[in-house]
Amino acid sequence: MKKRTLLGFVLIAFVLSAGAQVDDSKSRKILNEASSKMQSYEDISLKFTYNMDNDVYDVHEKKTGTALMKGEKFRIELGGQVMMSDGTTIWTFLPDAKEVQVANIAENSENNPLHILSSWEKNYRSKYIRQESVSGHNIHIIDLVPKEGKSFFKVRLRIDSKSKKLVSLSMFDKNSTTYTYIIEEFNTNTGISDSKFVFDPATYPDVEVIDLR
């Protein structure tokens, strides 16, 4: 599984219409509110559904996963892999292969599942698309276009207009593949231990450590 499947909520040079290259005030306001709301939490715990779809090759995949966040720290479990970071180092743990890869987070910063919301203004241009009503909730739909080359050409965010919480995130790859993360549960301030964000080799003595730093 490529790392992009681990919510690398992540993103290649492309051409889009001039209108989509300009941030509009409505999208900026909503994104700033959502970002501020997220940063106000001491920690965040998520359960999500991951979908990968490519109609060209008739490939469709669905999985469930979890994500924990605390400041710059995060932990993601999806498809038999565990990715965790203490904000400086990132560990990708493959239990079945009894292997863990170690790298610097500076080179893998967008593997943070909600990194997009905290970095959108620096790295993306935004455009408000529309508002939809889903199960009695008003949802804002906003597209983000990378300012520089990424592995995708567009990110679509769905944000609850009342709670300001992220509802789903879809990444559109240049190879016609769409990666969608639907947040099923969004809990905050649950007192997550810092140990959740660090791989302890002593706990897994039989695991091979591959240091890529």
Side-chain angles (χ1 to χ4, degrees), residues 3-28:
K3 285 188 177 181
R4 73 184 62 183
T5 64
L6 289 175
L7 273 188
F9 301 129
V10 89
L11 305 163
I12 261 172
F14 65 96
V15 177
L16 208 60
S17 65
Q21 295 294 320
V22 180
D23 293 336
D24 57 81
S25 58
K26 189 169 186 177
S27 67
R28 292 178 64 87

Side-chain angles (χ1 to χ4, degrees), residues 58-177:
D58 193 26
V59 175
H60 304 282
E61 182 179 316
K62 182 177 182 178
K63 298 179 180 179
T64 58
T66 62
L68 304 176
M69 295 185 63
K70 187 176 182 180
E72 294 299 313
K73 306 177 183 70
F74 66 90
R75 178 188 181 98
I76 305 163
E77 299 188 27
L78 177 65
Q81 295 189 22
V82 183
M83 182 179 291
M84 62 195 86
S85 173
D86 60 0
T88 301
T89 303
I90 184 168
W91 295 267
T92 302
F93 179 34
L94 313 173
D96 290 344
K98 292 186 177 181
E99 171 185 305
V100 61
Q101 301 172 7
V102 189
N104 291 319
I105 190 61
E107 300 171 2
N108 299 269
S109 61
E110 286 184 331
N111 284 307
N112 186 322
L114 300 179
H115 182 266
I116 289 174
L117 272 183
S118 62
S119 67
W120 75 269
E121 194 165 12
K122 176 183 178 181
N123 299 317
Y124 305 94
R125 299 186 185 280
S126 66
K127 184 172 182 62
Y128 189 86
I129 304 302
R130 62 181 178 273
Q131 180 174 293
E132 292 182 348
S133 179
V134 180
S135 300
H137 294 269
N138 290 322
I139 306 299
H140 295 300
I141 299 178
I142 296 172
D143 281 354
L144 297 180
V145 174
K147 292 180 180 180
E148 298 181 356
K150 300 286 185 181
S151 61
F152 52 89
F153 66 86
K154 181 178 72 175
V155 181
R156 173 158 290 185
L157 304 177
R158 290 176 172 81
I159 298 172
D160 189 289
S161 63
K162 184 177 181 180
S163 69
K164 312 303 180 186
K165 292 180 179 179
L166 185 66
V167 175
S168 70
L169 178 153
S170 297
M171 302 188 316
F172 298 82
D173 202 304
K174 68 172 185 176
N175 67 359
S176 302
T177 302

Side-chain angles (χ1 to χ4, degrees), residues 89 100-104 208-213:
T89 303
V100 61
Q101 301 172 7
V102 189
N104 291 319
E208 179 185 5
V209 177
I210 302 176
D211 200 325
L212 304 176
R213 292 172 293 185

